[in-house]
Amino acid sequence: MIDVLVVDDDFRVAEINAAYVGKVPGFRVTARAHSAAQALATLERHRIDLVLLDHFLPDETGLSLVRRMRQHGHHTDVIMVTSASDVATVQAAMRHGALHYLVKPFTFAGLRAKLDSYATLRRTVARAAGTGDELAAQDQEQVDRIFAALRTGLPTRHSVPTADLIRDVLHTADHPLSAHEVADRTGLSRSTAQRYLRLLEQSGRLRLTLRYGETGRPEHRYAWAV
C-alpha cells in the first residue's frame, strides 16, 4: 500500500481529497494535516510515501514546506493539489521536485490519473532497481516512458508526442478550441483528438468550457490549463 498524507487548510476539502484517495486501489490515507507545522510533525512520526500538498497554508506556503522537508531529510514524494495556477508557482513546484500539479477544482478522475501514474512509476523504478546497480537498456527505456507519462498525466499506453502536439496547438490558440478544430490543426482524426482531449481534461491539464448554440448539444471547447 502507498501511504498518503493529505495536507489542506480547509478541513472539508481535506476530507474530500482523502475520500478520493481511499477510492483508488493501492492507496490509503495515513493522516491529514491542516498546516505546514502539522504536516512536518506527521512526517516525523509516520512513514509517508506521498504528500498531497496544498500551496496556501496558514503558516507558510506548500513550496516552502517542501524545502523544509528536504532540509530535514524527508524525501517523500509530493503532488501539489492547489488553486494556485500562476506560471511562477507551477515552475517552482517543478524545480522543487513535485511529481504532479493538480489545479483545483478537479474531479476524482483527474486525481486518480495522477495517482495511477505515480503508482506505475514506483513499480517501474522498483523493478529496475532490482536488476542491480546499472539499469538494463530496456529498463531505462521503460523509466523514460513513465517519466514522459508523468509530464502529461496520460496512461503509459498513450502517445506522449501526440499529447505534446495537442498541447502546442492549444498553447498557441487565442481562444478555446473544439475537438474538430484541434483535429484540423494537428492532422489527427477527430476521434483521436477527442480521446486525448478527454484524457488531458480528466488529468487536470485542460480547462473544459461549453458553448451553447441555438439547437443541439453544447459544444465542448478546450484550453490548456497549466
Side-chain angles (χ1 to χ4, degrees), residues 105-224:
F106 55 87
T107 63
F108 168 65
L111 178 59
R112 177 164 187 166
K114 297 289 190 286
L115 295 180
D116 284 344
S117 62
Y118 171 72
T120 302
L121 174 64
R122 284 175 60 93
R123 288 194 299 269
T124 302
V125 173
R127 185 164 56 248
T131 65
D133 293 336
E134 295 185 5
L135 290 172
Q138 63 270 23
D139 291 326
Q140 181 61 63
E141 291 170 1
Q142 189 173 17
V143 170
D144 289 343
R145 286 196 299 271
I146 298 303
F147 271 101
L150 279 170
R151 291 200 312 272
T152 62
L154 289 174
T156 57
R157 65 183 181 276
H158 289 77
S159 167
V160 173
T162 299
D164 288 342
L165 178 62
I166 292 174
R167 178 201 60 197
D168 292 342
V169 164
L170 292 174
H171 261 309
T172 56
D174 57 4
H175 60 275
L177 301 178
S178 67
H180 179 73
E181 290 170 322
V182 170
D184 283 346
R185 298 189 186 196
T186 59
L188 300 170
S189 69
R190 185 169 182 177
S191 62
T192 297
Q194 286 178 322
R195 184 170 73 254
Y196 276 80
L197 287 167
R198 189 177 304 112
L199 285 168
L200 290 166
E201 188 270 327
Q202 290 175 347
S203 70
R205 308 311 295 266
L206 301 184
R207 290 195 306 271
L208 170 64
T209 57
L210 301 178
R211 187 171 74 177
Y212 292 87
E214 295 181 359
T215 60
R217 296 180 178 177
E219 181 181 53
H220 289 198
R221 302 185 69 80
Y222 300 88
W224 198 257

